[in-house]
Amino acid sequence: MDSIYGYIRVSTREQNEDRQLLALQELSIPQKNLFVDKQSGKDFERPQYRKMVRKLKKDDLLYIKSIDRLGRNYAEILEQWRILTKEKGIDIVVLDMPLLDTRRGKDLMGTFLSDIVLQVLSFVAENERINIRQRQAEGIAAAKARGVRFGRPPKPLPENFHFLYQQWKNGEITGSAAAKACGMPLATFRYRAEVYEKAKLL
C-alpha cells in the first residue's frame, strides 16, 4: 500500500476538495500518501505536488480524479506525464477517464492510444481555461457597459465641490486651483467633475 499515492488540487482556498478526497479514499490510499494543493493549475510550482514527485519511485501508482486536477496548461501536463511515466517509471490512473490508465496496454498500441487520449484531454482542459478567462473578460466588459463599477466606491465629494465646480466651469478659477481647494489631484478633480456633470444631466 505504501506504493500507492493520490493527488488532489483545488484552484482556490475557498474551494472544497471533499469530492476528490472521497473518490481517492475509496481506493484505500494511505493518508500520508495523499497530497493536496490549494492552488491554480496554471503551472506545476505547487509545494505538495513537488513533495509527492520527490517521494515517487519506480512502479509506484498515482491516482488523480481528473486530468485537469493535474494541471491546466496543455504543454506542461504532457511534460509532467512524460516525466512521471517515462523518467520516474510510475503508473498513473485518471479515475474519470478509464482509458488513461498506464497499467493497461503496455504494448505499443496501448501506449499510443493512451497518448492520444491524454493529448486530447489536455487540450480540452487548457481550452476550457482560456474560455473561462474570455467569458470573465466579456462579463466584466458587459457589466461596465451597464454602468457597474468595480473596485472601492469613490469617496464622497467635499462640501465645497459644487461651488468650486461652478467657478471652474465659469472660468473664474483654474482646474488646478479648484482641485487644490478640494484636496484632490487635478486628474481626480476633472474625473469627478465629468461624473458630476453627467449625473446632473440625468
Side-chain angles (χ1 to χ4, degrees):
M1 289 303 294
D2 279 358
S3 63
I4 302 176
Y5 291 81
Y7 179 67
I8 293 166
R9 182 186 66 79
V10 288
S11 299
T12 67
R13 294 196 173 276
E14 288 72 39
Q15 286 185 333
N16 197 311
E17 68 272 18
D18 287 355
R19 189 176 62 89
Q20 295 174 67
L21 197 56
L22 283 169
L24 295 181
Q25 282 176 337
E26 286 178 7
L27 302 166
S28 301
I29 299 168
Q31 191 67 35
K32 66 185 175 74
N33 287 357
L34 281 173
F35 293 83
V36 182
D37 275 311
K38 295 195 175 188
Q39 200 170 331
S40 163
K42 63 183 174 65
D43 59 42
F44 283 85
E45 296 304 319
R46 306 177 218 135
Q48 289 300 305
Y49 179 79
R50 289 294 181 196
K51 185 178 177 183
M52 179 188 72
V53 171
R54 285 195 298 271
K55 287 189 71 173
L56 289 168
K57 303 180 299 298
K58 190 176 186 317
D59 297 326
D60 283 350
L61 175 60
L62 172 63
Y63 285 98
I64 54 175
K65 181 80 170 71
S66 58
I67 194 67
D68 65 345
R69 297 305 88 200
L70 190 59
R72 286 199 178 276
N73 181 296
Y74 174 51
E76 288 195 2
I77 290 174
L78 294 176
E79 175 63 8
Q80 288 300 312
W81 190 276
R82 185 192 64 76
I83 289 168
L84 293 170
T85 58
K86 304 292 194 294
E87 292 182 15
K88 301 284 288 186
I90 71 159
D91 278 312
I92 306 176
V93 176
V94 180
L95 297 177
D96 286 355
M97 180 54 61
L99 279 172
L100 283 179
D101 182 344
T102 60
R103 297 171 303 178
R104 297 179 186 169
K106 293 281 187 181
D107 60 0
L108 186 62
M109 181 57 74
T111 304
F112 175 68
L113 288 172
S114 178
D115 284 350
I116 287 176
V117 173
L118 174 64
Q119 291 204 30
V120 169
L121 290 176
S122 301
F123 173 77
V124 168
E126 183 175 17
N127 203 46
E128 179 58 18
R129 182 171 65 92
I130 291 167
N131 287 340
I132 288 169
R133 265 209 317 263
Q134 185 177 336
R135 287 196 294 269
Q136 284 173 338
E138 288 170 355
I140 290 168
K144 283 182 176 176
R146 293 195 308 271
V148 175
R149 291 181 61 83
F150 292 88
R152 289 179 300 179
K155 290 180 181 176
L157 291 170
E159 290 180 12
N160 60 350
F161 184 84
H162 176 73
F163 172 70
L164 292 163
Y165 166 80
Q166 291 295 346
Q167 283 195 310
W168 171 67
K169 283 296 282 184
N170 295 332
E172 296 168 23
I173 57 172
T174 64
S176 297
K180 188 175 181 182
C182 284
M184 58 179 69
L186 178 58
T188 303
F189 174 79
R190 285 185 172 151
Y191 170 73
R192 300 298 294 269
E194 186 183 338
V195 173
Y196 181 72
E197 196 165 325
K198 283 179 182 172
K200 282 172 65 182
L201 294 172
L202 292 175

